[in-house]
Amino acid sequence: MLISYNWLKKYVNLPDSISAAEVAEKLKASTVEVEGIEVQGKNLENIVVGKIITCEKHPNADKLKLCKADVGNEQLQIICGGSNVKDGMLVALAKVGAKVKWHGEGELIELKPTAIRGIESAGMICASTEIGLGGMFPLRDEKEILDLSFIVGKAKQPHGLGSTNKGFVAPHLASHKDKFVGRPLAEALGLDDSILEIDNKSLSNRPDLWGHYGIAREVAVLFNKKLKEFKTGKIKPSKEINLKVEVEDTKLCPRYMAVAVSGVSVEPSPQWLQKALLAVGQRSINNIVDITNYIMLDMGQPMHAFDASKITNSTIVVRKAKDGEEFVTLDGLKRNLDSSMLMIGDKDKNLAIAGIKGGLDSGITDGTKTIIFESANFEAASIRKTSAKLGLRTDSSARFEKSLDPNLAALALERAVELIVECCPQAKVVSKVVDEAKFNLQQGPLAISLDFFHKKIGVKLAKKEIIKILEHLGFEIKTSGDEFKVKIPTWRATKDISIPEDLVEEVVRIYGYEKIAPQLPEFFIDPPEENKLRQLERQCKNILVNSLAYTEVYNYSFVSGAQIAKMTDNPDRYLQLDNPLSKEKPYLRRCLLLNLLENLENNQAGRDRLNLFEIGKVFRGENPGLRVESNKDSLLPGQDTWLTAVCLEKKNNAPFWQAREVVDILAKTVLPGLEVSKSDAGGIGRHPTRSVSLAVGEKIVGSVYELHPQVIENFGLDGRVAVVKINLSMVVDLPAAGEKYSALVEFPIVERDLAISVKKNINHGDIMAALSAVNPLLQSVELFDVYEGKGVGDNYKSMAYHFVYQNRERTLVTEEVDKVHNEIIKILREKFGAEVR
């Protein structure tokens, strides 16, 4: 958004000692981002008003002319190719040393003395585009030079400012044209303004700043100057036209005002109006359109003007469009509408897209004699959505989508009537002022204390200073001791100021952030609370990856009905999401295994061995979990963290022992006290015999098992699969069993291996229980191999054990070890029917 410094000074009496750059710095530090300052005429150095004395044909070129020009203190010979150059013409003449754009394109080029077709030329007679004034003086012909004869002067009826060239008119008298010859062009055209370029994104939360008056209010506060009141005269209604407005949706249009004015004459705008608009990048069109644009840029309130003759029965209807309806906007483009879009129309047709753009058939033309001014307020979200759907963003929609103050509509309408009467003295109001209003602003008051300001700002500001800042910004304040009740001004009450913290921000930004010394808050340097579960997770991951060559995977917490069916499980046991990310996976996982098996299925091709693991939460509705903050009587489902590992080796017929290795390593390193417990043949998807539980003390915390053959077939896996499951949430809270100090024994151990043949229904756990108290010399028993097949009976299996013997007080002799070992063999034969192999 562009802001004119001279325009600002209409509302704030800033002395000449305060520059536009200073204003920009203050605004950047407190209010908005100023991206740059453009000084009008800054590139017009060494460019003056010249007068053509003679204009003759170039002797060596058909399309060039040899001109002699008066520049005040000297006469210069200039070669010119302008199509309209002639004797007596006032022109923009660039002297040697001036910088211009050749044919209005490319970078600026410094002029130097040159010879063109053998004749010296001491400068350049310029087109408007060559000196950066193409926006102010549009070209009618690409070879046309800027004719200042009709621009410097003739304020009331300027030549050349009709429908073909609505350009800028400088405020000088025709009878004194010659006195400007030789003067700098910037001075002659009154280009003495500085234009502040403000970043629109920094205005998103401040609808009051989308006009010059709103920015002026901020500048007045920042420089402690008085803001001039925005005064408008009341409109005197008439009954010549029975103007009516019907608003069908007051939520989308909380206020709609309109008034009819007759006796207008569509013509170029006054010089001051053209200059004001051109300064901020707006092209002058005609007095009616320029007035609506000026008010939008001045107050931030968009307006629109309709040709009254094109509105049936002088009745305006604010309604929603119909699905599939088409509408042609002022730019001549056809727009496809839907029923969410708000339209302005009459009983028969649409006239405009509310708050965005007018229609082609209702616009102002040269023949318009009676107009209807619209000044309205529209719901921000509706405008934003319509603008996005249509791909049509205008200056008007950019303001409405920020939630404008509905009270601006009345001021804007009154100002528009004042300006049209100024531009067309014969114009008069011919209807009543229609005001369909249904809005309610939340102006508070907000209760806030002096102590609240001090705590939030970190500086103890005087009570008087806080009141002064807020009142200067337009807030109304009532105090009771150190308590404030603050009423929000209407221009800040549209989703801008709503909580006490907003008032703190208002005070501190005006007071100055730079005045607050940076200071770290006081805090105790206490170590963070130890997260034992997270540490255990990391330790397990390191062991599995670095020591056991497992690959970690991360899966979503969702499973599908197909996965549950493959596991031969019941989907009713699973929690189902009301709004799943994927319709294919609407259930929350009860275990990590289902997705891990899917990983095996997708990655088994071309691999003989796959070892995968995952650590993550599972969700079980039957187990109570955390309390819901909003309802203390409600509990979330249990969300324990589990470790699950799977191993698939295509040629391995006993993957169970590979899984057992995972448990043994974890028990020796990060999970002391974890040990194999009794046989566990239960559980969905488990092999009926190849399954054991894991326990810490008396608490069952997991299991190791092989998958049921049916599940392996359902998932299409090429080999037997073993699974390790450990509930880390349970393990981390249990005391580790068996962690006791014992001194190293200095006497050697004796090791013996023994292979036995037993029936398949004999469990390793029962054997271990029977041997646990055989003799104190037996230090440990380890099962290291299980074999079924050739050399072993059909209903038998071979189990190989490793025995360690030791006496902590002396060295063992062979006879002692043989005695205990034979006793073990006897127990195995008598209790389990074992045969030594």
Side-chain angles (χ1 to χ4, degrees):
M1 184 174 73
L2 300 180
I3 294 293
S4 160
Y5 186 52
N6 287 345
W7 198 332
L8 285 181
K9 291 198 288 186
K10 285 172 51 182
Y11 299 118
V12 185
N13 187 18
L14 294 174
D16 294 338
S17 58
I18 296 177
S19 66
E22 289 178 82
V23 171
E25 286 302 315
K26 285 270 192 179
L27 287 171
K28 281 194 286 186
S30 64
T31 310
V32 294
E33 283 294 327
V34 181
E35 295 187 320
I37 301 175
E38 183 74 24
V39 179
Q40 284 187 331
K42 70 173 184 178
N43 293 324
L44 297 180
E45 189 176 352
N46 282 334
I47 301 177
V48 299
V49 177
K51 182 177 181 180
I52 305 298
I53 300 173
T54 61
C55 180
E56 301 173 354
K57 183 179 177 299
H58 192 294
N60 302 322
D62 293 336
K63 296 183 179 181
L64 298 179
K65 295 179 181 178
L66 178 60
C67 301
K68 184 175 288 187
D70 181 5
V71 291
N73 56 354
E74 60 180 326
Q75 294 182 358
L76 301 176
Q77 180 173 277
I78 308 288
I79 307 298
C80 178
S83 59
N84 60 330
V85 64
K86 59 183 179 181
D87 292 350
M89 186 178 185
L90 294 186
V91 296
L93 193 147
K95 295 182 177 181
V96 171
K99 294 182 178 180
V100 300
K101 288 186 177 181
W102 191 250
H103 296 301
E105 299 177 353
E107 300 295 325
L108 291 171
I109 300 173
E110 183 177 338
L111 291 181
K112 297 179 180 179
T114 186
I116 301 175
R117 295 291 180 96
I119 297 180
E120 294 292 327
S121 181
M124 177 177 174
I125 298 172
C126 304
S128 61
T129 54
E130 292 171 324
I131 53 177
L133 300 179
M136 299 174 70
F137 310 113
L139 292 180
R140 292 172 295 185
D141 182 325
E142 64 175 340
K143 293 186 177 181
E144 177 189 50
I145 62 168
L146 179 56
D147 185 357
L148 297 176
S149 305
F150 307 113
I151 295 172
V152 179
K154 291 200 174 179
K156 292 185 179 180
Q157 294 181 343
H159 296 285
L161 295 182
S163 59
T164 56
N165 182 16
K166 297 181 175 64
F168 169 72
V169 182
H172 306 300
L173 299 177
S175 58
H176 299 288
K177 284 193 300 183
D178 286 354
K179 78 174 186 177
F180 292 101
V181 173
R183 289 221 188 152
L185 181 62
E187 178 186 330
L189 295 178
L191 300 178
D192 57 350
D193 202 356
S194 295
I195 310 302
L196 282 65
E197 183 181 356
I198 293 177
D199 176 33
N200 285 358
K201 294 189 291 295
S202 66
L203 296 172
S204 294
N205 68 317
R206 292 292 301 273
D208 61 307
L209 297 184
W210 283 80
H212 280 74
Y213 192 76
I215 296 291
R217 185 186 291 112
E218 291 286 312
V219 171
V221 177
L222 293 171
F223 288 91
N224 198 24
K225 300 294 181 182
K226 187 175 181 181
L227 178 71
K228 293 180 182 177
E229 185 181 355
F230 196 97
K231 290 184 177 180
T232 57
K234 295 297 180 182
I235 300 173
K236 295 180 179 179
S238 175
K239 295 183 179 180
E240 293 181 35
I241 293 178
N242 184 22
L243 181 62
K244 292 181 288 187
V245 173
E246 298 175 8
V247 179
E248 294 183 0
D249 192 330
T250 56
K251 182 179 181 295
L252 299 185
C253 179
R255 190 172 197 181
Y256 194 97
M257 300 185 70
V259 69
V261 180
S262 68
V264 301
S265 175
V266 180
E267 57 187 26
S269 297
Q271 302 159 14
W272 70 267
L273 182 52
Q274 291 189 50
K275 183 179 179 182
L277 293 176
L278 290 167
V280 292
Q282 284 279 350
R283 182 173 62 90
S284 176
I285 298 174
N286 58 53
N287 52 357
I288 308 300
V289 176
D290 288 357
I291 285 170
T292 60
N293 285 336
Y294 176 82
I295 290 172
M296 177 183 67
L297 297 169
D298 189 36
M299 304 172 59
Q301 171 66 41
M303 291 190 65
H304 192 69
F306 299 107
D307 187 328
S309 65
K310 299 175 181 178
I311 299 178
T312 306
N313 296 327
S314 300
T315 301
I316 294 175
V317 182
V318 184
R319 59 168 174 258
K320 286 185 179 180
K322 298 176 182 177
D323 286 327
E325 195 172 3
E326 293 182 342
F327 181 68
V328 180
T329 47
L330 279 168
D331 52 13
L333 297 179
K334 186 181 291 185
R335 313 282 178 176
N336 294 317
L337 310 177
D338 64 43
S339 58
S340 69
M341 300 175 182
L342 194 66
M343 303 296 293
I344 311 299
D346 57 21
K347 293 289 187 182
D348 303 323
K349 60 187 177 298
N350 289 322
L351 303 171
I353 304 173
I356 300 178
K357 204 172 188 68
L360 184 64
D361 296 333
S362 64
I364 304 299
T365 66
D366 290 343
T368 298
K369 298 301 179 185
T370 302
I371 62 173
I372 295 176
F373 276 127
E374 167 197 282
S375 185
N377 186 271
F378 303 107
E379 187 201 38
S382 170
I383 298 298
R384 184 169 58 253
K385 290 175 182 177
T386 300
S387 176
K389 284 182 179 179
L390 296 176
L392 177 62
R393 198 161 191 268
T394 61
D395 288 333
S396 176
S397 68
R399 287 163 172 80
F400 278 125
E401 68 184 26
K402 304 300 185 299
S403 296
L404 292 180
D405 176 10
N407 293 283
L408 276 178
L411 285 174
L413 194 65
E414 291 169 357
R415 184 65 172 139
V417 171
E418 286 181 348
L419 290 177
I420 195 62
V421 171
E422 180 181 335
C423 294
C424 304
Q426 70 276 19
K428 64 176 182 177
V429 174
V430 290
S431 76
K432 64 179 181 180
V433 177
V434 181
D435 185 4
E436 293 294 326
K438 193 174 183 180
F439 63 90
N440 182 30
L441 295 178
Q442 299 299 321
Q443 294 183 255
L446 295 176
I448 189 170
S449 68
L450 184 62
D451 183 60
F452 188 84
F453 279 109
H454 293 166
K455 285 181 178 179
K456 291 294 183 181
I457 297 175
V459 175
K460 290 189 176 182
L461 297 183
K463 179 180 175 181
K464 289 183 179 179
E465 186 169 8
I466 292 173
I467 293 173
K468 179 182 176 182
I469 291 173
L470 291 176
E471 287 183 340
H472 213 164
L473 286 168
F475 294 87
E476 296 179 18
I477 302 174
K478 291 182 180 180
T479 61
S480 176
D482 287 342
E483 301 295 322
F484 301 82
K485 290 212 180 278
V486 183
K487 184 179 179 182
I488 305 167
T490 61
W491 59 87
R492 301 298 300 277
T494 56
K495 302 180 183 178
D496 182 9
I497 303 293
S498 58
I499 58 176
E501 283 79 2
D502 293 333
L503 297 176
V504 175
E505 182 184 3
E506 291 301 299
V507 170
V508 73
R509 71 182 181 84
I510 300 300
Y511 172 74
Y513 295 109
E514 72 284 356
K515 295 180 183 178
I516 301 174
Q519 184 177 356
L520 284 173
E522 292 183 2
F523 56 91
F524 297 101
I525 308 177
D526 293 331
E529 184 178 349
E530 184 180 13
N531 190 327
K532 294 182 180 180
L533 179 59
R534 184 177 298 168
Q535 291 178 1
L536 181 59
E537 288 178 27
R538 290 173 178 171
Q539 290 170 343
C540 291
K541 289 179 181 180
N542 288 334
I543 295 297
L544 284 162
V545 173
N546 298 326
S547 301
L548 298 171
Y550 273 69
T551 299
E552 184 181 8
V553 298
Y554 290 92
N555 289 308
Y556 286 113
S557 299
F558 317 115
V559 294
S560 66
Q563 287 175 287
I564 296 171
K566 288 179 181 180
M567 185 56 72
T568 67
D569 202 352
N570 184 355
D572 293 339
R573 299 174 65 236
Y574 290 76
L575 295 169
Q576 187 169 359
L577 297 170
D578 290 334
N579 187 24
L581 292 177
S582 169
K583 292 182 179 179
E584 296 178 357
K585 294 191 173 185
Y587 300 99
L588 285 172
R589 63 189 181 191
R590 287 182 58 85
C591 66
L592 307 177
L593 182 59
L594 273 68
N595 285 325
L596 280 167
L597 294 180
E598 194 173 72
N599 298 146
L600 289 178
E601 181 183 3
N602 295 333
N603 292 278
Q604 65 181 342
R607 291 179 173 86
D608 292 330
R609 180 174 179 174
L610 266 176
N611 292 340
L612 306 177
F613 80 95
E614 182 176 10
I615 296 177
K617 292 184 181 297
V618 301
F619 306 87
R620 297 183 177 179
E622 69 272 17
N623 297 333
L626 299 174
R627 254 177 223 290
V628 180
E629 285 295 328
S630 58
N631 184 358
K632 300 300 183 182
D633 295 329
S634 181
L635 293 176
L636 291 170
Q639 300 178 39
D640 285 356
T641 298
W642 283 72
L643 180 155
T644 301
V646 291
C647 41
L648 166 66
E649 191 171 2
K650 296 180 180 178
K651 297 180 181 180
N652 186 354
N653 290 326
F656 177 89
W657 302 108
Q658 187 179 342
R660 267 295 308 273
E661 182 186 14
V662 173
V663 175
D664 293 340
I665 297 296
L666 290 176
K668 291 177 181 178
T669 53
V670 297
L671 298 176
L674 180 69
E675 56 186 21
V676 174
S677 182
K678 62 182 180 180
S679 174
D680 182 4
I684 296 169
R686 299 186 185 188
H687 193 282
T689 60
R690 300 166 190 156
S691 174
V692 295
S693 295
L694 299 177
V696 175
E698 298 297 324
K699 197 77 171 179
I700 302 298
V701 297
S703 56
V704 182
Y705 59 88
E706 285 190 26
L707 278 182
H708 194 286
Q710 184 62 53
V711 175
I712 293 174
E713 182 181 343
N714 292 344
F715 277 93
L717 300 177
D718 190 12
R720 288 163 64 170
V721 178
V723 180
V724 178
K725 288 183 178 181
I726 302 174
N727 187 333
L728 298 182
S729 295
M730 290 180 64
V731 172
V732 76
D733 292 329
L734 294 175
E739 279 195 318
K740 295 181 180 180
Y741 168 78
S742 59
L744 291 174
V745 180
E746 60 186 37
F747 302 103
I749 62 173
V750 177
E751 298 176 301
R752 297 278 180 93
D753 289 341
L754 177 66
I756 59 174
S757 175
V758 294
K759 290 185 177 181
K760 289 184 178 180
N761 62 351
I762 300 299
N763 289 324
H764 165 69
D766 295 334
I767 293 176
M768 291 296 291
L771 300 180
S772 62
V774 169
N775 193 287
L777 296 181
L778 182 61
Q779 298 297 309
S780 67
V781 181
E782 180 183 358
L783 176 67
F784 67 87
D785 184 50
V786 177
Y787 170 73
E788 298 177 10
K790 187 176 180 181
V792 181
D794 291 340
N795 196 33
Y796 286 81
K797 62 183 176 182
S798 173
M799 303 177 73
Y801 286 90
H802 181 70
F803 299 91
V804 176
Y805 301 94
Q806 187 180 42
N807 190 316
R808 293 179 173 272
E809 297 177 354
R810 59 181 175 82
T811 302
L812 286 171
V813 295
T814 302
E815 290 77 9
E816 290 178 294
V817 175
D818 289 342
K819 182 180 179 181
V820 177
H821 198 67
N822 290 332
E823 186 179 350
I824 289 173
I825 294 173
K826 181 179 179 182
I827 292 173
L828 292 174
R829 283 175 174 168
E830 292 178 351
K831 285 192 173 183
F832 302 103
E835 294 294 333
V836 177
R837 299 188 68 217

